[in-house]
Amino acid sequence: MAMLEVEKLNAWYGPSHVVHDLSFAVEEGEIVALVGRNGAGKTSTLRAIMGLMPRAEGRVAFDGTSLLPLGAHARFRLGLGYVPEDRRIVPGLTVRENLELGLVAAGRTDVGAAIDEIARSFPRLKERLNQQGTTMSGGEQQMLAIARAIISRPKMVLLDEPSEGIMPVLVEEMGTLFRTLRDQGTTLLLVEQNVEWALKLAGRAIIIDQGEKVYESSAAALLADKDIQDRYCAV
Amino acid sequence: MDLELILMQLFSGLALGAILVMVALGLTIVFGMLGIVNFAHGALFMVGAYAGLWVAAQTGSFWWALLVAPIAIGVLGMAIERFLIRPLYGRSPDDPLLLTFGLGYVLVESVRITFGTDGIPFSAPEALQGVVDLGVGYFPLYRLFVVGVVALVLLLLWVALEKTRFGLIVRAGARDPLIMKVLGVDVGRLWLLVFGLGVGLTALGGVLAAPMRNVSPEMGTLVLAEAFVVTVIGGMGSLLGAVVAGLLVGIAVSMTALFAPEMATIVMFALMALILLVRPQGLFGRPGAGA
């Protein structure tokens, strides 16, 4: 049984039908890249899996539990982390407080130890724990959003365009982090516009176009197939 | 004019402002975090006063009334959020506004039917009657007690919001409910508690205000208008703004009553207009802040 099973998923924003009969699976411990053009339905797919779409139908199962009847908070508690595209660092809170938010639902009381532990993987954050989160650079805010999503050690993390607008050096740092997470057993579903970077990280790739799955293969195969990339992923 | 008289009037303004702070805090907490303008807030202030009156009559103790009535009305507030307001989330902002507007009328009429239309006196306990020498003159002990209770509540509220994990969740939830959902927080339950807290605070204001005036079905109407003024002056959704503006309005009304009594009822509106001209977002509001 795959860790995440998506079967005939359909999702809507009001009258707009944005995800059509989408089916795919993600196995435990792998990185899967979900790529496609802007507006193809990638973000809507992640939002539907996380329970943030106004309307979603079909079947989404995580570790055997059907997700669609559950609220977003209950999905997180099953071990599903989510890093939204716009990062959503809470204004008015310090980096430490933003990180602490990631521990609330886990009910962990050893906040200091958990933050020390996560800060080892994010040295840039360690130096800024008492700084307001929203005053950091875009790349640092992205690191904070990722750290906040993984501080409670979820089984799987949904990442929406983590490299967008980030300096290349930080993107490389992020790639190293994702590989480490995968090696530690965390499963990642990665939505990306930076196709080449995503395909180098991932084991498998899925292309979505106009809300439908149009291609699925190993990431290496798609990386080698420039025609398919140009047809479905070119801006 | 006598300096002692001015100082006494200043203390009176503080006591009046303290009650306004309690009511405005509840209003601004609910608006700032849930985005709901609760037009039933004044009626719930009045229901708090009647609940205090009833508990005091049953137990013979003002202290039980002060403790039990705000909690009971806070629970009533949670029921209102759960069963009446929650189904309206995600719909037009007019819907909860109209609902609470109507609810205010229902509460006032229910109290009229149950307790009658005449004002009912509610005495302060014996221990709080009389006056105390403040060095510059004698001041009613009960009003001093009101200022003390409000200061204590503010301190507890500050500690709860700034120094506890619950407070962190509430502050973050007010700024970005979506991120709290994806971090595992049941935001619906959080709003239930916040609404209950806001209503409990106004009910506490009602019980505290009761010995300073007769308890009547209309007592919430003026308070609601005053609390709106305070909330707008302080900045919609700002807790610090509610505290500062509440005291400011209380003192302004009290001092105007001393120098130009005929202006006392309109001074707060003039103050609001003046502050909005200079800072449209209010004293501590964020520009463009809303629900």
Side-chain angles (χ1 to χ4, degrees), chain A residues 1-229:
Chain A
M1 183 181 66
M3 176 168 265
L4 179 74
E5 293 171 309
V6 177
E7 282 173 28
K8 290 193 172 300
L9 177 66
N10 286 273
W12 291 261
Y13 277 114
S16 300
H17 190 177
V18 290
V19 178
H20 300 261
D21 285 334
L22 185 65
S23 298
F24 66 91
V26 180
E27 299 292 336
E28 186 175 355
E30 70 172 342
I31 300 179
V32 173
L34 204 57
V35 293
R37 286 194 189 88
N38 249 339
K42 307 183 298 292
T43 292
S44 301
T45 302
L46 287 198
R47 288 176 63 89
I49 295 169
M50 202 60 210
L52 299 172
M53 288 297 282
R55 183 181 162 203
E57 291 174 6
R59 180 175 175 271
V60 180
F62 178 68
D63 256 354
T65 305
S66 182
L67 293 184
L68 291 191
L70 305 176
H73 69 281
R75 300 183 196 207
F76 172 90
R77 288 172 184 221
L78 288 173
L80 197 56
Y82 175 59
V83 181
E85 187 179 7
D86 48 3
R87 298 161 196 152
R88 303 191 91 106
I89 303 305
V90 182
L93 301 191
T94 62
V95 170
R96 182 188 297 277
E97 287 173 324
N98 268 286
L99 288 171
E100 194 176 343
L101 292 178
L103 293 166
V104 164
R108 281 182 68 173
T109 50
D110 56 336
V111 175
I115 289 177
D116 285 347
E117 192 184 317
I118 199 80
R120 278 197 286 276
S121 305
F122 295 87
R124 285 167 194 273
L125 299 182
K126 193 176 182 179
E127 301 155 14
R128 294 170 169 76
L129 285 176
N130 296 317
Q131 185 178 332
Q132 295 274 309
T134 48
T135 62
M136 298 195 301
S137 73
E140 287 162 349
Q141 287 190 38
Q142 186 66 65
M143 289 298 194
L144 174 56
I146 295 168
R148 185 178 60 188
I150 65 171
I151 195 170
S152 63
R153 300 191 196 111
K155 296 175 195 165
M156 180 173 184
V157 186
L158 313 177
L159 296 138
D160 197 354
E161 311 246 7
S163 78
E164 193 187 16
I166 309 294
M167 286 191 309
V169 61
L170 275 179
V171 174
E172 285 313 309
E173 220 174 274
M174 206 182 282
T176 308
L177 173 76
F178 292 166
R179 285 190 191 93
T180 308
L181 282 174
R182 178 200 56 200
D183 295 345
Q184 289 169 348
T186 309
T187 309
L188 303 178
L189 179 57
L190 177 64
V191 158
E192 259 300 327
Q193 287 282 345
N194 187 345
V195 177
E196 195 177 328
W197 177 72
L199 294 178
K200 284 178 181 168
L201 272 175
R204 278 191 311 119
I206 295 163
I207 299 180
I208 295 183
D209 191 50
Q210 296 185 350
E212 292 179 34
K213 184 172 81 175
V214 292
Y215 182 90
E216 182 170 357
S217 72
S218 72
L222 179 56
L223 191 60
D225 195 337
K226 292 292 177 196
D227 285 347
I228 293 285
Q229 282 187 48

Side-chain angles (χ1 to χ4, degrees), chain B residues 224-258:
Chain B
L224 179 66
E226 290 170 341
F228 272 127
V229 169
V230 166
T231 307
V232 170
I233 289 177
M236 297 289 281
S238 165
L239 301 190
L240 179 62
V243 175
V244 172
L247 296 178
L248 195 66
V249 166
I251 290 169
V253 169
S254 188
M255 297 310 281
T256 310
L258 182 63

